[in-house]
Amino acid sequence: MYLVSDICEIVKGRFLQQAGDPVVRYLVYDSRQVQQPDASLFFALRAGRNDGHVFLADAYAQGVRNFIVSHPGSVQGLAGSNIILVDDTLAALQQLAIYHRSRHSIPVIGITGSNGKTIVKEWLYLLLQEDHTIARSPRSFNSQIGVPLSIWQLNSRHDLALFEAGISRPGEMEKLARIIRPSIGLLTNLGEAHSEGFVSDEQKLQEKLKLFEHCPILIARGKDISKRTYKKQGTKLLTWGAGGEEDITVLSVEKQEGHTAVNLLFENAHYHFSLPFADEASIENAISCAAIMLVLGYKEDVIARRMNRLHAIDMRLQLIHSFNECLVINDSYSADINSLRAALDFQQQQGAGLGRTVILSDFFETGRTEASLYTEIRDLLQAYGINRLVLIGEKIRAWLPPLLDDSVKLQAFDNTEAFLGLFRSSGFFREIILIKGARKFGFERIAKLFEEKLHQTVLEINLNALVHNLKQYQRLLKPETRVMAMVKAFSYGSGGAEIASVLQYHHVNYLGVAYADEGADLVRAGIRIPIMVMNAETFSFQSIVDHHLQPVIYSFDLLHAFEDYLAAQGMAAYPIHLEIETGMNRLGFALSEVEALSLHLSASGAFTVQSVFTHLAASEDPEQDGFTREQAARFEEAATVLESKLSYRFLKHIANSAAIVRHPQLQLDMVRLGIGMYGVEIDNDKLLELLPVATLRTTIAQLKHLKKGETVSYNRRGLVQRDSIIATVRIGYADGYSRRFGHGKGHMLVNGALAPVIGTVCMDMTMLDVTDIPGVKLGDEAIVFGPDLPVQELAAWIGTIPYEIMTGVSQRVKRIYFHE
């Protein structure tokens, strides 16, 4: 804890105004994540288009009274606050972390690499926590912002720290190295991830190694660093691998069903242990952890016992729909303060119209008193407005209830079995339920109770990929350009309120839907940003007004009808959007009608025009660029006429996803970001690094061994040309898998290989020829589309576009949402 005056001196700032000298315990840079405002210091960080100075008022409204800024003109209205001015707010945050790190002389393990950083860090925590009070990076807090916030957790209770560092371009690691100052370094797998910002693998390696410039011990795979070429003064390099030159020799790795036996040689001693995994990535990560334990002096029996207890760690939070209109967030494998805070933050993003319930187990944080621990948990639960708690565990049921007020509905159980014995689904209705427990409590059994009994075909939605894609597009926009995110057609098949909640959290300016009922559903789900309805109909006027939606007016007939409706309701100045026809020839006022339209609107008090827009017909096609420019000119002509007659300003927008990339001059006041946000876009000359948002998975229901000449599916059109193994998977045209994929046109990924469709696609099932794919068994997954099988490829197979594939995924297919 530091006084505000101390921090001002540490970051070499100066007070713009001072209103006391309170103690700072929390550092925040996101006004949406303020939990303890009285003891928080808000950093107004600038990152690309995002400028924290814009959100000073939001943080102030939540009770924050301590700020660090770099723009003095942005601090009006912050009366009674301490405001520190610095040249660079991010540099100030990092300088504060450097100072704080210097006050702690405990061992610090610094971890970097391309793959496995977070898993290795979490496994090391599990392996070492019995002997140490450990500070560690929350989840994957390894960036220029995340590392300082991780270091800030260090306090006098800790005797060991685990911090990870991630970089995406040269020049970043030096800053993180000064903050972390590791005493033991660990370089994990140096794979292909995060290579875009480096000219070569060698440059990437050298940049990552800068974390260990002054580190006494560095552990790495021998295949990543050569002992002959790595000569760093003051650093002892320990390598592991199968080669005879390695310090830790991997003598054998014997894979068996579901587990792996590992034999290491270190300093002439053998170390044997068994891992509950058989995949290469997990084995490598576990050996890295074992190397750390060897350096720390652990004995073979301890290493063997703890290694066998490792378990898969999913760093994602899983959101699913459940019974009785409930949503469930499954985070059932860990219980610590940092991950609780992250899970509550995600719960706050979603389910705005639902009650907030948390099912919580005992916490195991050594080195602090139960009173201190559960008081902090109570403060978090109150800050996030939790109104129902289910407590499981002797410690939490003893300590937490006396700290809670009567507004929280409370149930408490000694163990998970007691809760399971009394569970009734009727006891939960319209709630968003966070399931959060330490692994020993087996909360995965509770999560299963809430899963809807749907068939085993699921559409997984990666919400982190959605946010990544949004920010990729925002990088191409001017700071003042607004974003309308298109969530029509159930967000291109990806989900409605769940997608919209994330977009609202990340401050998109508008949402666009096709019909009023889509917008009404979003409002009922708690969406509060403006929603534009593309296809308003006369019978939907009541719903539009009731839910404060903003219709697109595209003809005089619709204009007059809505004007009459508003007059009957006694309403005026209702927000609308105008669509101009410039060449799409679908909907919109013709250019010849714009003069009359502008005169009518200027004389009528019924409407307030929020925006005027048009649709580009071929913005993705270089051969049509001349027509795109012609459309833009026509639109500008129409907008000029409207501007001349209306006495107020309105937004203009013309650019869709493709135009954001290919026609940056058409950004105007706002852009409409559609399918590109979901990771599907035209060739963009590598201006964007988009990630697929959706993965459609199914499973194998049955395997059949057929003889040459037998047939598969309806009409006997799937002729078996050889003795074959045929897999029946649980997806058909009722799920959105088109019949056009039949007879070999479509393929699915099974065990990493493409399996062709054989025969006709059925309503609920599809058959695949898996003869050439080894090891296929009942229950194996088949990937319909996803990161390794792009939806663009499926569209090409049947001569359509990705839009049709994505929006065609049936509503009966369960959606599961993941958030890291």
Side-chain angles (χ1 to χ4, degrees):
M1 295 186 292
Y2 296 81
L3 297 174
V4 168
S5 59
D6 295 332
I7 292 176
C8 185
E9 183 176 346
I10 293 167
V11 302
K12 297 180 172 57
R14 67 178 179 88
F15 280 105
L16 290 178
Q17 63 184 53
Q18 190 170 8
D21 200 11
V23 169
V24 169
R25 294 178 58 202
Y26 304 99
L27 307 183
V28 294
Y29 68 96
D30 190 329
S31 60
R32 301 162 298 187
Q33 297 178 346
V34 175
Q35 289 122 27
Q36 304 291 332
D38 292 344
S40 293
L41 172 63
F42 183 88
F43 283 79
L45 300 179
R46 298 176 185 266
R49 284 170 43 88
N50 299 319
D51 186 350
H53 294 84
V54 175
F55 303 106
L56 291 172
D58 292 346
Y60 183 84
Q62 295 188 57
V64 177
R65 293 297 182 268
N66 306 300
F67 301 90
I68 290 188
V69 303
S70 60
H71 181 45
S74 62
V75 299
Q76 292 83 1
L78 305 181
S81 297
N82 296 296
I83 303 176
I84 299 171
L85 178 67
V86 296
D87 293 332
D88 184 330
T89 49
L90 177 57
L93 173 64
Q94 294 174 342
Q95 182 57 43
L96 181 57
I98 289 170
Y99 179 85
H100 187 62
R101 168 68 180 91
S102 71
R103 299 181 65 191
H104 298 272
S105 58
I106 63 173
V108 172
I109 300 174
I111 306 167
T112 193
S114 299
N115 302 302
K117 297 186 295 294
T118 302
I119 293 297
V120 166
K121 178 204 67 193
E122 293 299 317
W123 278 355
L124 285 173
Y125 177 76
L126 293 173
L127 293 165
L128 305 176
Q129 65 175 334
E130 291 181 33
D131 313 304
H132 298 279
T133 302
I134 303 173
R136 75 191 195 279
S137 307
R139 294 189 175 264
S140 54
F141 269 42
N142 57 32
S143 66
Q144 300 292 308
I145 299 172
V147 168
L149 296 179
S150 299
I151 297 292
W152 185 253
Q153 299 174 92
L154 278 173
N155 60 54
S156 58
R157 297 192 312 270
H158 298 125
D159 59 13
L160 181 67
L162 307 169
F163 297 126
E164 59 175 295
I167 59 172
S168 56
R169 58 183 59 87
E172 293 183 332
M173 190 60 87
E174 294 94 330
K175 298 174 183 177
L176 301 185
R178 288 194 293 272
I179 300 170
I180 296 175
R181 287 174 46 204
S183 49
I184 300 175
L186 178 60
L187 181 70
T188 65
N189 183 303
L190 196 71
E192 296 297 322
H194 314 298
S195 295
E196 305 85 29
F198 305 96
V199 298
S200 67
D201 288 343
E202 179 60 26
Q203 184 194 36
K204 182 170 71 169
L205 171 62
Q206 295 304 320
E207 289 294 323
K208 289 182 180 294
L209 288 176
K210 290 178 180 178
L211 177 61
F212 313 117
E213 286 286 337
H214 305 289
C215 184
I217 301 174
L218 171 58
I219 299 168
R221 299 190 310 172
K223 65 173 67 176
D224 288 329
I225 301 181
S226 168
K227 290 181 72 68
R228 288 190 293 269
T229 59
Y230 184 81
K231 305 292 183 184
K232 183 64 65 176
Q233 189 73 26
T235 298
K236 179 181 180 182
L237 174 63
L238 295 177
T239 60
W240 65 264
E245 298 181 353
E246 315 301 355
D247 300 282
I248 302 171
T249 305
V250 181
L251 296 176
S252 65
V253 175
E254 297 178 5
K255 297 181 182 179
Q256 300 172 9
E257 188 66 32
H259 71 278
T260 303
V262 179
N263 181 16
L264 304 180
L265 179 67
F266 176 61
E267 295 182 345
N268 298 317
H270 286 266
Y271 295 83
H272 304 267
F273 54 85
S274 179
L275 300 171
F277 311 105
D279 63 286
E280 289 294 335
S282 295
I283 293 169
E284 285 196 352
N285 290 335
I287 294 174
S288 291
C289 292
I292 290 287
M293 297 186 77
L294 291 173
V295 168
L296 293 176
Y298 279 86
K299 303 298 184 183
E300 181 190 14
D301 60 331
V302 177
I303 294 175
R305 184 173 64 253
R306 295 186 187 178
M307 281 288 177
N308 196 44
R309 295 203 303 249
L310 290 178
H311 59 81
I313 296 176
D314 192 343
M315 299 308 297
R316 305 173 301 177
L317 297 172
Q318 184 186 105
L319 175 72
I320 62 172
H321 286 263
S322 187
F323 47 71
N324 300 337
E325 300 179 57
C326 290
L327 294 174
V328 174
I329 299 171
N330 183 6
D331 192 16
S332 57
Y333 291 104
S334 65
D336 60 83
I337 289 293
N338 289 324
S339 62
L340 175 62
R341 184 178 290 109
L344 289 170
D345 189 61
F346 182 53
Q347 184 185 38
Q348 187 179 57
Q349 290 182 37
Q350 296 288 339
L354 304 178
R356 301 194 175 277
T357 297
V358 176
I359 301 175
L360 210 57
S361 79
D362 284 350
F363 274 46
F364 299 98
E365 296 223 354
T366 58
R368 62 189 300 184
T369 66
E370 268 88 7
S372 168
L373 173 63
Y374 288 108
T375 297
E376 185 170 358
I377 292 172
R378 185 275 314 273
D379 292 343
L380 274 175
L381 296 171
Q382 288 183 344
Y384 280 99
I386 303 304
N387 42 42
R388 180 178 181 183
L389 273 175
V390 178
L391 307 178
I392 298 178
E394 295 179 1
K395 289 185 178 180
I396 197 169
R397 77 173 293 179
W399 281 96
L400 198 54
L403 302 174
L404 299 169
D405 58 41
D406 294 337
S407 65
V408 180
K409 184 179 178 182
L410 184 65
Q411 293 174 280
F413 302 88
D414 282 337
N415 51 54
T416 305
E417 287 69 25
F419 172 81
L420 296 174
L422 294 176
F423 178 83
R424 299 292 182 273
S425 61
S426 58
F428 298 88
F429 178 71
R430 286 190 55 77
E431 300 168 50
I432 181 166
I433 303 158
L434 170 61
I435 302 173
K436 181 117 184 95
R439 182 171 174 81
K440 66 174 290 186
F441 283 87
F443 272 18
E444 63 272 14
R445 293 174 291 167
I446 296 176
K448 286 185 180 298
L449 294 175
F450 285 96
E451 291 182 3
E452 290 184 308
K453 303 302 181 185
L454 301 178
H455 63 84
Q456 297 177 53
T457 298
V458 298
L459 186 68
E460 291 183 352
I461 311 299
N462 185 336
L463 298 178
N464 294 93
L466 179 82
V467 174
H468 168 87
N469 295 340
L470 170 64
K471 293 184 182 300
Q472 284 285 300
Y473 278 98
Q474 287 178 324
R475 286 196 302 106
L476 303 181
L477 302 179
K478 296 175 290 188
E480 64 272 17
T481 303
R482 305 184 191 193
V483 174
M484 175 183 287
M486 304 307 295
V487 293
K488 60 183 180 178
F490 198 55
S491 294
Y492 297 82
S494 297
E498 298 83 5
I499 297 292
S501 294
V502 173
L503 296 171
Q504 176 173 260
Y505 185 80
H506 288 278
H507 300 296
V508 300
N509 305 98
Y510 266 92
L511 296 177
V513 298
Y515 294 99
D517 56 351
E518 294 177 313
D521 286 344
L522 296 181
V523 171
R524 284 192 289 267
I527 300 303
R528 296 291 175 261
I529 55 179
I531 300 173
M532 184 179 84
V533 179
M534 304 288 290
N535 302 298
E537 299 158 297
T538 54
F539 65 81
S540 67
F541 289 165
Q542 184 70 50
S543 180
I544 286 172
V545 170
D546 286 348
H547 295 95
H548 307 289
L549 307 176
Q550 300 180 8
V552 170
I553 305 297
Y554 50 81
S555 70
F556 276 111
D557 287 342
L558 188 61
L559 180 78
H560 295 319
F562 193 44
E563 191 171 29
D564 291 344
Y565 173 84
L566 294 174
Q569 302 299 314
M571 303 179 70
Y574 196 88
I576 63 170
H577 302 259
L578 301 177
E579 182 174 357
I580 307 299
E581 176 57 73
T582 61
M584 183 78 163
N585 289 318
R586 186 173 63 180
L587 293 174
F589 289 96
L591 294 180
S592 59
E593 297 176 310
V594 171
E595 180 73 26
L597 173 64
S598 63
L599 291 172
H600 185 93
L601 291 172
S602 64
S604 171
F607 310 112
T608 300
V609 177
Q610 301 297 302
S611 82
V612 177
F613 70 98
T614 194
H615 279 284
L616 295 175
S619 61
E620 73 283 357
D621 188 350
E623 295 185 2
Q624 298 294 333
D625 283 352
F627 187 73
T628 297
R629 289 190 292 271
E630 187 176 337
Q631 280 194 272
R634 292 173 182 172
F635 175 72
E636 191 58 43
E637 177 186 340
T640 300
V641 172
L642 287 163
E643 285 174 327
S644 69
K645 297 295 190 292
L646 297 179
S647 59
Y648 53 86
R649 292 193 62 200
F650 50 79
L651 299 174
K652 295 183 289 186
H653 48 109
I654 187 173
N656 55 10
S657 298
I660 293 171
V661 179
R662 299 198 63 252
H663 304 282
Q665 75 280 8
L666 299 183
Q667 289 183 21
L668 306 184
D669 300 310
M670 185 160 65
V671 297
R672 300 189 303 276
L673 181 54
I675 198 167
M677 187 168 56
Y678 304 93
V680 179
E681 188 50 290
I682 59 166
D683 183 11
N684 57 58
D685 296 324
K686 299 301 180 184
L687 285 173
L688 302 172
E689 294 288 343
L690 300 182
L691 300 175
V693 168
T695 299
L696 181 58
R697 304 176 185 272
T698 187
T699 58
I700 295 175
Q702 190 174 24
L703 290 168
K704 290 184 178 295
H705 294 262
L706 301 184
K707 297 294 185 181
K708 179 180 178 180
E710 293 191 80
T711 60
V712 176
S713 196
Y714 290 113
N715 305 119
R716 303 194 64 201
R717 292 179 182 170
L719 180 64
V720 177
Q721 302 289 344
R722 55 177 176 166
D723 291 356
S724 300
I725 303 173
I726 305 301
T728 300
V729 296
R730 297 176 169 95
I731 191 170
Y733 60 79
D735 302 296
Y737 194 68
S738 173
R739 282 170 53 89
R740 289 174 287 171
F741 286 116
H743 312 295
K745 285 191 174 181
H747 297 72
M748 298 184 199
L749 274 178
V750 178
N751 290 350
L754 285 175
V757 174
I758 182 170
T760 303
V761 174
C762 306
M763 179 181 289
D764 308 300
M765 299 286 176
T766 298
M767 280 61 73
L768 305 174
D769 186 343
V770 296
T771 309
D772 298 323
I773 304 175
V776 178
K777 60 185 182 297
L778 190 69
D780 280 355
E781 278 192 338
I783 305 299
V784 182
F785 61 76
D788 297 319
L789 183 55
V791 69
Q792 296 94 315
E793 195 164 340
L794 273 72
W797 288 339
I798 60 173
T800 186
I801 58 176
Y803 294 74
E804 181 181 348
I805 304 294
M806 293 182 65
T807 59
V809 179
S810 167
Q811 294 296 302
R812 82 174 186 175
V813 173
K814 178 168 63 175
R815 271 70 171 172
I816 297 178
Y817 300 87
F818 290 106
H819 169 79
E820 184 174 286

